[in-house]
Amino acid sequence: MTAGGLQGAPATKLWIYSVLIFSLVLAWSPAWRHALMRLRFVPHITRDWQIWRLASIQLGVATTTELMSTLVIVYRMRSVERILGTRKFAAFVFVAGVVGLTLSVVLLAGARWMLPARIYGAVNMVAGGPLVTVFACLAQYYMLVPSKRVRALGVTVGDKWLTYGLAANLLGESAAVPALAGIMAGAVYAADVAGLKQWRFPQCVEHAAVRLMSLVTSRQARVQRPANRAHQELIGRLQGMFPAAGHEQIAQALRLAAGDADRAVSILLSGSQ
């Protein structure tokens, strides 16, 4: 996961590092892993009111297989940040997390009353990991990022199949509710319910986040500043090649292609067909 691969996606890069570091801490301390990651809706939420644990279990992943799958999925969804922009993407992750956790509580409460006890026991344990935000972002990835057709082992498939396959690998009995809540949160955000798309972090929070992300992306930022003029010139050349395409459409194609002109041309060609 090189800096070049995450160029133009500093929030995604920070997200990956955060999950990785917290997961390593959990692996180092079994006591913390047991205290933070083992959450049961009954009795931890209904009786003990430990609602904060719904947020704490989103910070890290307990097993190596789930950690690697989560990191690869988040990395492959970096195009969502490039399309939305870093400020909007960071706000989306926060809003989707809050909405998704709320929906998780509603779904778990409804399942408690609707499902037989022997079946409910399987979903009463809430899986650890950022499942809500990952699946909310996966919904945006499905809706916003165009799919390219590639050949694998003689079969033509979409280039998103690996992302969806890894996401399916995360699903289990205890992951069903958080995953469903995440997809629903992504759909709620896409529908702009209650103007959720307009929300942004306060300026003071954004400034603090910029300073934190600059520690992670300082080298990347230094490379991008002098390249801004070349980026605008590239947009101008692509507008000459695709006069029917608007400035924002071409800029979006370049973001999806991570600044690669040839890939941007392919994206614009596929979009015009």
Side-chain angles (χ1 to χ4, degrees), residues 21-230:
I21 292 172
F22 197 83
S23 299
L24 292 176
V25 171
L26 292 175
W28 174 74
S29 175
W32 282 26
R33 184 169 64 249
H34 184 274
L36 295 178
M37 305 302 287
R38 292 182 63 84
L39 173 63
R40 294 183 181 275
F41 185 70
V42 180
H44 295 146
I45 303 300
T46 57
R47 186 193 67 189
D48 302 334
W49 289 93
Q50 297 178 355
I51 298 178
W52 58 271
R53 295 185 63 178
L54 286 169
S56 69
I57 64 173
Q58 301 290 315
L59 299 177
V61 181
T63 69
T64 303
T65 302
E66 292 176 349
L67 173 62
M68 295 307 299
S69 296
T70 300
L71 295 182
V72 173
I73 291 169
V74 174
Y75 175 76
R76 289 181 63 84
M77 295 191 298
R78 63 197 183 279
S79 296
V80 175
E81 180 180 353
R82 292 173 180 157
I83 294 173
L84 297 180
T86 298
R87 290 182 65 239
K88 187 173 182 178
F89 178 76
F92 157 71
V93 171
F94 179 80
V95 169
V98 173
V99 174
L101 291 176
T102 303
L103 291 173
S104 293
V105 173
V106 173
L107 291 173
L108 287 168
R112 182 188 179 191
W113 294 108
M114 296 175 61
L115 297 178
R118 59 185 178 82
I119 299 179
Y120 179 72
V123 299
N124 185 45
M125 174 68 76
V126 182
L131 290 170
V132 168
T133 47
V134 165
F135 276 85
C137 193
L138 193 67
Q140 294 291 305
Y141 178 73
Y142 172 79
M143 290 183 281
L144 297 178
V145 180
S147 179
K148 293 170 57 180
R149 309 298 293 179
V150 297
R151 291 188 64 82
L153 301 176
V155 180
T156 302
V157 295
D159 62 342
K160 295 181 178 181
W161 68 269
L162 178 59
T163 307
Y164 298 145
L166 290 172
N169 185 57
L170 293 177
L171 294 176
E173 292 179 341
S174 59
V177 170
L180 177 59
I183 293 174
M184 292 172 64
V188 168
Y189 184 88
D192 199 19
V193 176
L196 291 177
K197 286 185 176 182
Q198 312 308 316
W199 187 87
R200 298 291 186 277
F201 282 105
Q203 288 287 338
C204 59
V205 176
E206 288 187 353
H207 291 162
V210 167
R211 292 178 182 177
L212 178 61
M213 284 191 289
S214 67
L215 299 177
V216 179
T217 61
S218 56
R219 180 183 175 186
Q220 177 181 326
R222 288 196 297 269
V223 173
Q224 285 180 330
R225 289 192 193 100
N228 186 57
R229 180 178 299 176

